[in-house]
């Protein structure tokens, strides 16, 4: 029977099935879904139906006689893979045909349990989550006596960040320090020592962190051709979603598996590559046709989400990108108002204007969940949050701990891990520390005694525990021995653990254990969906639920009210009305033009933000901003916004700060046809007028159609004459 990379309910044979119909796809989608025999790069613009294309691709492959077990779908969330596979299942006649799908990490986990022995790992290795990894780092810092000299040694969180960034960027520790953390250079040798011990500790105790899953899987594919051939033989067709978000290791995995047969289709949008801080590499999608020679490029450009007025702005934003796949989004959606640009006097005026527009939309009957406010950085929304609170307009700001990052949930998972892997040193440490009268030193002494034991539970029975905690230790051993001898069904194991843990739980979290109990209730419902203990344990590390409210019913990412969100968190979502705030120079983009890669990624971020809107897009910026020391400073329009053709926008500005902005709004740009190109380049030193920046002086000629102008109110700006609507004054 085919093994899935994530647990899911069996398909319902009585469920209705849609018919596989080519008429459901436009020409480009159909070409992508049905082209065989060559590697495929599908550039799918925002809202162009990439999910539908992937779904029909899977169904088409099965229709052509390719067994579903030989098809692999790789996505960035388990939920996305399951939804696509379920949809594909409804298009085919045999509901038993199930494509294998999941995240890169989930695939690596399953296949390393089969092939990890080549690298010295047993099949029951334990996966560390971030908190576990930080705990090991802290333990090593202490045992190596680092940070005890009075110096402010990097925190365990920072050390983990350094190590993880190196993995995901394919950089050495020295390169990471030189590239991003030069202020930590004095700790270089100590950090290298911790890294060496960290790798050794994990290997000796059968542990892998999240990054190890990809690194070790790539290693076994690369160093053992027989493994590579076996994996490629099983997965004869590989489909990858959101390819622009892959890091170098993930791209290598696709190359190693897909390179054996060439049956690879990757879908993504270079214009939505905005996760470099996580290790995503823009070059992966740009270089795909080099890595897979002969690959065919197919563009999806028909948008099913937004009005043409919004798409015109999105196209104009990305037109200025230095490197891209050419595409032009279009739609058959009729009508649509031009996006509005609002130039606020200051940040407070901007907040009041946005809050007032939201209040008006709500009064007009627009549902709260169809409105979102997006921003570059979390602190950009602070003043708006206060304004919304003052108007008693409720909102949700995205963020917060995941369910399995909560201490009490981690406690319970540690018991489950010890049942699954009695040699899991880290989980043993946590459950021992939960015993009354057992501290870190005692726990380490216990573990030092049993670390090399073939039967850890038997060794612990013989340990000379102190009188104050021996009873607690024996009670723990009774639980673990009972569970180890049973059938280990996840729900039965969880209930037994909870019966034991409840007393400890109420003692340790006495201040708020009733509130925390709700999380444990949700966890029990989650556990009930599993039939295999190891899959449950793996998933708590691989793809944990986002929160207590989102652990059930597949509601992750579904807005329930007005949303305030960073652009990174909003990718993949859409709303009828979208406000993008703080489009000010120095805030968006937050980098300088000479920082080419960062500058271009921030341009793509604005494209992502703009294309979240279905019906109306609002773009705002303050002309005056506050610095971190509470001083007023000139803001002004973002260069990304300033270079947009003015005829695409309806622009307004407030003439003064303070008070209610509605009475001080004045039209800044007239509606009208597209502006003609400037007949001739303004003279060096000549005076010009810009509709946003006002009057200025030409100080430099850059190329044939670009000038640098120094504006009295906004400083020096670089403008392209075809778009800037400059008026020559003399």
């Amino acid at each position: 029977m085919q093994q899935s990379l994530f647990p899911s309910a069996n398909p319902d044979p009585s469920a209705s099935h849609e018919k596989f119909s080519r008429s459901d796809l436009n020409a480009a989608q159909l070409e992508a879904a049905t082209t065989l025999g060559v590697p495929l790069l599908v550039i799918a613009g925002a809202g162009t139906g990439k999910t539908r294309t992937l779904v029909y691709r899977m169904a088409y492959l099965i229709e052509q006689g390719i067994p579903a077990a030989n098809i692999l779908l790789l996505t960035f969330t388990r939920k996305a893979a399951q939804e696509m596979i379920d949809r594909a299942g409804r298009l085919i006649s045999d509901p038993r045909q199930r494509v294998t799908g999941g995240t890169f990490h989930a695939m690596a986990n399953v296949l390393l349990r089969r092939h990890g022995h080549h690298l010295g790992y047993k099949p029951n290795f334990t996966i560390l989550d971030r908190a576990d990894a930080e705990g090991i780092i802290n333990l090593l810092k202490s045992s190596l006596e680092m940070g005890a000299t009075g110096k402010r040694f990097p925190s365990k969180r920072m050390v983990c960040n350094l190590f993880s960034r190196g993995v995901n960027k394919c950089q050495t520790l020295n390169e990471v320090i030189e590239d991003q953390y030069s202020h930590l250079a004095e700790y270089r040798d100590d950090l290298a020592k911790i890294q060496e011990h960290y790798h050794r500790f994990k290997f000796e105790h059968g542990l892998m962190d999240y990054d190890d899953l990809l690194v070790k899987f790539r290693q076994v594919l690369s160093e053992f051709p027989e493994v590579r051939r076996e994996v490629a033989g099983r997965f004869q067709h590989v489909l990858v979603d959101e390819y622009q978000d892959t890091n170098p290791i993930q791209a290598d995995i696709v190359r190693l598996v897909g390179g054996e047969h060439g049956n690879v289709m990757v879908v993504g949008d270079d214009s939505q590559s905005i996760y470099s801080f996580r290790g995503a590499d823009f070059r992966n999608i740009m270089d795909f046709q080099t890595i897979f020679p002969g690959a065919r490029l197919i563009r999806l450009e028909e948008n099913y989400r937004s009005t043409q007025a919004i798409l015109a702005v999105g196209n104009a934003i990305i037109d200025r990108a230095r490197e891209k796949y050419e595409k032009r989004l279009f739609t058959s959606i009729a009508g649509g108002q031009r996006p509005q640009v609002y130039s606020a006097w200051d940040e407070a005026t901007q907040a009041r204007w946005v809050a007032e527009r939201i209040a008006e939309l709500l009064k007009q009957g627009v549902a709260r969940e169809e409105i979102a406010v997006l921003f570059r950085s979390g602190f950009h929304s602070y003043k708006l949050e206060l304004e919304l609170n003052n108007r008693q307009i409720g909102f949700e700001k995205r963020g917060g701990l995941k369910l399995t990052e909560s201490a009490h949930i981690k406690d319970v998972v540690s018991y489950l891990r010890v049942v699954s892997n009695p040699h899991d040193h880290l989980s043993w440490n946590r459950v021992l520390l939960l015993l009354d009268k057992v501290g870190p030193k005692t726990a380490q002494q216990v573990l030092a005694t049993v670390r090399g034991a073939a039967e850890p539970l038997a060794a612990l029975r013989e340990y000379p525990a102190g009188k104050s905690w021996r009873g607690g230790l024996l009670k723990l051993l009774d639980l673990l021995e009972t569970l180890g001898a049973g059938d280990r069904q996840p729900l039965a194991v969880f209930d037994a653990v909870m019966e034991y843990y409840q007393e400890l739980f109420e003692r340790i979290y006495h201040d708020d254990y009733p509130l925390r109990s709700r999380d444990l209730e949700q966890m029990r419902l989650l556990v009930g969906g599993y039939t295999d203990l190891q899959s449950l344990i793996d998933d708590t590390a691989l793809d944990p639920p986002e929160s207590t409210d989102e652990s059930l019913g597949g509601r992750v990412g579904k807005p329930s009210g007005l949303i305030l969100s960073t652009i990174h968190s909003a990718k993949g979502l859409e709303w009828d009305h979208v406000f993008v705030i703080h489009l000010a120079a120095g805030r968006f983009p937050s980098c300088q033009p000479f920082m080419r890669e960062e500058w271009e990624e921030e341009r793509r971020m604005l494209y992502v933000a703009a294309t979240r809107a279905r019906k109306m897009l609002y773009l705002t910026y303050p002309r005056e901003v506050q610095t971190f020391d509470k001083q007023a400073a000139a803001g002004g329009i973002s260069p990304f916004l300033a270079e947009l053709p003015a005829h695409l926008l309806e622009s307004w500005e407030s003439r003064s700060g303070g008070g209610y902005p509605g009475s001080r709004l004045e039209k800044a740009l007239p509606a009208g046809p597209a502006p003609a190109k400037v007949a001739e380049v303004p003279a060096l030193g000549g005076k010009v007028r810009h509709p946003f920046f006002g009057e200025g002086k030409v100080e430099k000629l850059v190329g044939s159609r670009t000038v640098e102008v120094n504006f009295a109110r906004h400083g020096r700006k670089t403008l392209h004459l075809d778009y800037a609507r400059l008026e020559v004054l003399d």
Side-chain angles (χ1 to χ4, degrees):
M1 183 176 177
Q2 177 199 355
Q3 184 179 22
S4 174
L5 295 185
F6 56 84
S8 63
N10 292 326
D12 181 1
S14 65
S16 60
H17 290 274
E18 305 168 19
K19 185 178 180 181
F20 183 93
S21 173
R22 288 158 177 75
S23 63
D24 292 336
L25 305 178
N26 64 40
Q29 291 171 336
L30 181 61
E31 182 184 4
T34 60
T35 297
L36 300 178
V38 294
L40 287 178
L41 170 61
V42 180
I43 298 298
T48 57
K50 70 175 181 62
T51 299
R52 172 178 287 263
T53 303
L54 280 165
V55 166
Y56 274 73
R57 171 76 171 184
M58 288 185 283
Y60 180 77
L61 291 174
I62 294 170
E63 185 186 69
Q64 297 305 300
I66 297 165
N70 295 140
I71 303 170
L72 175 64
L73 170 67
L74 293 173
T75 66
F76 278 84
T77 67
R78 174 178 58 183
K79 181 172 180 284
Q82 185 164 354
E83 286 180 349
M84 282 190 265
I85 290 169
D86 288 346
R87 285 176 58 183
R90 291 195 291 269
L91 294 173
I92 58 179
S93 57
D94 185 356
R96 294 170 299 178
Q97 291 267 37
R98 296 281 289 178
V99 170
T100 299
T103 65
F104 279 90
H105 293 86
M107 176 188 70
N109 168 52
V110 169
L111 295 176
L112 279 172
R113 294 192 186 280
R114 178 181 177 88
H115 302 291
H117 64 89
H118 290 284
L119 304 178
Y121 286 91
K122 295 180 179 179
N124 68 336
F125 64 80
T126 296
I127 302 171
L128 303 173
D129 65 13
R130 179 55 181 262
D132 294 332
E134 290 180 0
I136 295 174
I137 295 296
N138 218 32
L139 182 67
L140 292 174
K141 282 172 57 179
S142 176
S143 64
L144 295 171
E145 298 184 350
M146 293 180 181
T149 60
K151 292 183 178 180
R152 187 172 176 82
F153 197 82
S155 68
K156 60 185 180 181
R157 178 175 175 273
M158 176 58 73
V159 175
C160 272
N161 285 343
L162 287 168
F163 294 170
S164 184
R165 184 178 179 87
V167 170
N168 287 288
K169 288 280 191 179
C170 290
Q171 293 180 321
T172 65
L173 180 61
N174 279 339
E175 288 171 337
V176 172
I177 291 173
E178 291 172 7
D179 185 29
Q180 291 285 328
Y181 303 97
S182 58
H183 60 291
L184 300 179
E186 63 178 302
Y187 304 109
R188 191 190 314 264
D189 293 340
D190 286 345
L191 289 168
K193 190 173 183 180
I194 290 177
Q195 188 177 52
E196 177 187 350
H197 281 262
Y198 178 55
H199 290 321
R200 186 186 307 161
F201 182 98
K202 289 185 293 180
F203 183 75
E204 290 175 352
H205 294 93
L207 306 172
M208 287 194 198
D209 62 26
Y210 205 55
D211 295 325
D212 287 331
L213 292 172
L214 297 185
V215 171
K216 302 301 182 185
F217 185 51
R218 178 181 63 176
Q219 182 182 355
V220 80
L221 288 174
S222 178
E223 296 180 4
F224 298 92
E226 66 275 21
V227 174
R228 185 168 65 249
R229 286 192 293 269
E230 181 180 332
V231 173
R234 175 182 174 184
F235 300 120
Q236 296 170 11
H237 287 265
V238 179
L239 289 72
V240 187
D241 189 23
E242 303 285 10
Y243 190 70
Q244 79 281 346
D245 294 335
T246 55
N247 64 28
I249 302 174
Q250 291 163 328
D252 277 350
I253 290 171
V254 174
R255 174 181 57 81
L256 288 165
V257 177
E260 290 288 315
H261 47 60
N263 297 320
V264 177
M265 182 176 89
V266 302
V267 181
D269 184 3
D270 55 298
S271 300
Q272 298 187 68
S273 178
I274 62 172
Y275 292 115
S276 64
F277 69 95
R278 290 187 196 163
D281 192 340
F282 178 70
R283 296 254 49 93
N284 289 346
I285 195 165
M286 300 308 298
D287 295 343
F288 182 83
Q289 290 174 289
T290 301
I291 296 169
F292 288 90
R296 181 179 299 181
L297 171 63
I298 299 173
R299 296 176 175 84
L300 304 186
E301 298 173 294
E302 183 172 359
N303 178 281
Y304 297 94
R305 173 190 300 161
S306 308
T307 66
Q308 190 61 51
I310 292 172
L311 296 182
V313 169
N315 288 334
I317 290 169
I318 213 64
D319 275 349
R320 304 298 293 272
R322 294 188 179 184
E323 186 177 10
K324 62 183 180 298
Y325 288 103
E326 294 288 345
K327 61 180 176 296
R328 186 144 299 270
L329 299 182
F330 66 93
T331 185
S332 59
I333 299 174
Q337 186 179 347
R338 285 181 301 168
Q340 291 185 8
V341 175
Y342 174 64
S343 170
W345 180 267
D346 56 15
E347 295 172 271
T349 310
Q350 173 184 245
R352 286 193 294 274
W353 187 84
V354 173
E356 181 61 28
R357 298 292 80 69
I358 290 173
E360 289 178 358
L361 291 172
L362 295 176
K363 190 178 297 184
Q364 294 166 11
V366 175
R368 289 175 180 264
E369 59 267 25
E370 292 301 344
I371 306 173
V373 181
L374 309 182
F375 32 85
R376 169 67 182 82
S377 301
F379 71 90
H380 289 170
S381 70
Y382 289 167
K383 280 188 168 56
L384 177 59
E385 291 173 40
L386 293 174
E387 187 67 30
L388 292 171
N389 283 329
N390 288 338
R391 295 170 182 267
Q392 297 184 326
I393 299 175
F395 62 87
E396 173 190 344
K397 188 173 182 180
R398 291 301 172 95
L401 284 177
K402 293 181 177 179
L403 174 64
T404 47
E405 290 174 347
S406 303
H408 49 297
I409 299 295
K410 287 183 67 64
D411 292 345
V412 174
V413 172
S414 292
Y415 291 111
L416 304 182
R417 285 180 169 185
V418 171
V419 171
S420 176
N421 178 10
H423 296 279
D424 184 343
H425 178 91
L426 193 67
S427 295
W428 267 115
N429 186 64
R430 188 176 189 98
V431 299
L432 288 171
L433 289 175
L434 292 172
L435 297 176
D436 195 20
K437 308 300 182 183
V438 174
K441 186 175 180 180
T442 300
Q444 289 303 308
Q445 289 172 346
V446 174
L447 291 174
T449 301
V450 303
R451 183 177 291 123
E455 298 293 336
L457 297 181
L460 278 175
R461 283 280 182 192
E462 302 301 320
Y463 186 83
K467 289 183 179 180
S468 62
W469 57 277
R470 180 164 181 77
L473 176 62
L474 293 176
K475 189 175 180 180
L476 171 63
L477 294 176
D478 288 342
L479 168 74
L480 296 175
E481 287 173 351
T482 299
L483 294 177
D487 63 1
R488 302 206 308 191
Q489 285 297 307
L491 191 57
V493 173
F494 180 86
D495 286 343
V497 167
M498 282 306 305
E499 184 177 348
Y500 163 85
Y501 176 66
Q502 187 66 36
E503 182 180 347
L504 301 178
F505 171 64
E506 293 182 11
R507 171 177 59 82
I508 295 168
Y509 304 104
H510 61 91
D511 286 337
D512 61 351
Y513 78 84
L515 181 63
R516 291 174 182 260
S517 294
R518 299 174 189 173
D519 292 342
L520 294 169
E521 292 168 4
Q522 299 298 326
M523 184 70 179
R524 187 180 189 278
L525 292 172
L526 183 69
V527 171
Y530 287 80
T531 58
D532 172 60
L533 184 61
Q534 188 64 58
S535 295
L536 167 65
I537 293 168
D538 289 346
D539 284 345
T540 60
L542 288 168
D543 199 3
E546 292 294 326
S547 72
T548 54
D549 291 334
E550 295 167 343
S551 60
L552 302 173
R555 293 194 296 272
V556 175
K558 179 70 174 177
S560 58
L562 170 65
I563 294 295
L564 273 57
S565 174
T566 62
I567 296 169
H568 287 111
S569 297
K571 186 175 174 291
L573 302 176
E574 58 188 71
W575 296 268
D576 282 350
H577 297 262
V578 171
F579 295 80
V580 187
I581 64 172
H582 252 319
L583 285 165
R587 298 292 178 92
F588 197 151
S590 59
C591 54
Q592 298 299 318
F594 61 83
M595 303 169 67
R596 177 172 176 173
E597 291 184 9
E598 292 86 347
W599 184 272
E600 290 301 305
E601 178 158 320
E602 298 223 357
R603 184 194 306 279
R604 297 193 292 269
M605 284 179 60
L606 180 55
Y607 171 84
V608 168
T611 54
R612 299 310 92 200
R614 287 191 289 251
K615 295 181 179 179
M616 191 60 200
L617 175 65
Y618 309 84
L619 308 168
T620 76
Y621 68 95
R623 298 196 297 276
E624 181 180 280
V625 298
Q626 276 194 335
T627 61
F628 288 107
D629 58 357
K630 304 297 184 183
Q631 299 298 310
I637 191 171
S638 163
F640 296 153
L641 192 52
E643 66 191 13
L644 296 179
H647 71 284
L648 300 179
L649 306 165
E650 181 179 302
S651 301
W652 301 80
E653 68 177 0
S654 59
R655 295 298 191 189
S656 60
Y660 172 72
S663 61
R664 293 179 171 83
L665 287 179
E666 295 185 21
K667 200 72 172 290
L669 285 179
K677 290 185 177 181
V678 175
E680 55 185 303
V681 177
L684 186 63
K687 292 183 179 180
V688 294
R689 179 184 291 120
H690 185 275
F692 287 117
F693 299 136
E695 293 187 9
K697 180 180 178 182
V698 178
E699 295 200 342
K700 188 176 181 180
L701 305 179
V702 185
S704 61
R705 305 295 298 164
T706 305
V707 295
E708 284 190 7
V709 182
N710 189 17
F711 294 96
R713 290 170 56 193
H714 297 279
R716 186 185 296 268
K717 306 293 178 185
T718 302
L719 303 173
H720 195 287
L721 297 176
D722 292 349
Y723 302 105
R725 285 181 59 92
L726 283 180
E727 177 186 354
V728 178
L729 299 181
D730 61 10

